[in-house]
Amino acid sequence: MTLPEPLSPDEVDDLARRAQTGDRDAMELLLAQVRPRVLNLCRGVLPYSDDAEDASQEALLSVAGKIGQWHGRGRFTTWLHVVALNSARTTYRRLKNLATPTDDAPLERPDPRTTSIIAGTRLDLLEALETIERDHPTLVQPLVLRDVYGLAYDDIATQLDVPLGTVKAQIHHGRKLARPLLRGGA
């Protein structure tokens, strides 16, 4: 399969607006355009390619079904980050629940923490985010959008529809809670 020619951010936003109006061709082109980005975002969270691929497909289905939730305030790709992140985290939770071993059924995969520093770090981060989310659910998305995906504070504020100062405070507080939960954190 050949990848479509990359479009500018303005062209992607325009495609998304057309897809919101029910233009099926625009939706197909939009999904083809963003698929590589979504897959890379999911790979940034999930250590196994097959899992990232599954999360990517779920994210693309969410984009197609929930495109009306993008209000056009920020870039479409910023909204897409949130959708992909949520899909990757949902996939992680589902896999974590399925991977609970029993005495007579060992895990099919080795723990990535023992076989890959990068995969282990990702899993440690996901575990820390799960812990933070239990008591402070509003801190997780801003923290991940900033520290995992590198989005600018103002883009995060626009996407999450919260004041810039709130985003900065949420990220600061989220980092303070994450540090002791991460391996080697002090």
Side-chain angles (χ1 to χ4, degrees), residues 138-158:
T138 59
L139 302 180
V140 174
Q141 272 191 335
L143 182 64
V144 173
L145 290 172
R146 178 67 186 160
D147 289 348
V148 175
Y149 294 121
L151 292 183
Y153 289 104
D154 55 343
D155 287 342
I156 297 167
T158 299

Side-chain angles (χ1 to χ4, degrees), residues 74-142:
R75 288 281 181 205
F76 173 78
T77 52
T78 304
W79 179 79
L80 181 71
H81 272 84
V82 174
V83 173
L85 167 66
N86 288 340
S87 179
R89 292 183 61 230
T90 298
T91 298
Y92 169 75
R93 277 190 212 105
R94 180 178 45 82
L95 293 170
K96 181 179 170 187
N97 290 338
L98 291 173
T100 304
T102 61
D103 291 336
D104 52 340
L107 286 173
E108 291 181 25
R109 296 179 179 158
D111 183 348
R113 291 177 182 91
T114 63
T115 59
S116 166
I117 292 172
I118 294 171
T121 302
R122 288 182 198 162
L123 291 178
D124 289 340
L125 177 60
L126 287 169
E127 291 289 332
L129 293 173
E130 292 295 310
T131 300
I132 293 168
E133 189 171 43
R134 274 182 244 143
D135 294 324
H136 308 282
T138 59
L139 302 180
V140 174
Q141 272 191 335

Side-chain angles (χ1 to χ4, degrees), residues 39-70:
L39 183 56
N40 283 336
L41 291 168
C42 291
R43 283 182 179 149
V45 174
L46 297 164
Y48 292 105
S49 290
D50 289 348
D51 298 340
E53 192 67 55
D54 289 346
S56 174
Q57 290 304 314
E58 290 298 321
L60 293 173
L61 287 170
S62 289
V63 167
K66 298 178 181 180
I67 195 161
Q69 293 179 6
W70 175 61

Side-chain angles (χ1 to χ4, degrees), residues 8-30:
S8 73
D10 288 337
E11 291 171 318
V12 171
D13 288 353
D14 182 56
L15 262 182
R17 283 186 199 91
R18 289 181 20 223
Q20 282 181 319
T21 66
D23 183 333
R24 294 173 62 98
D25 292 336
M27 179 62 78
E28 284 185 39
L29 184 54
L30 177 66

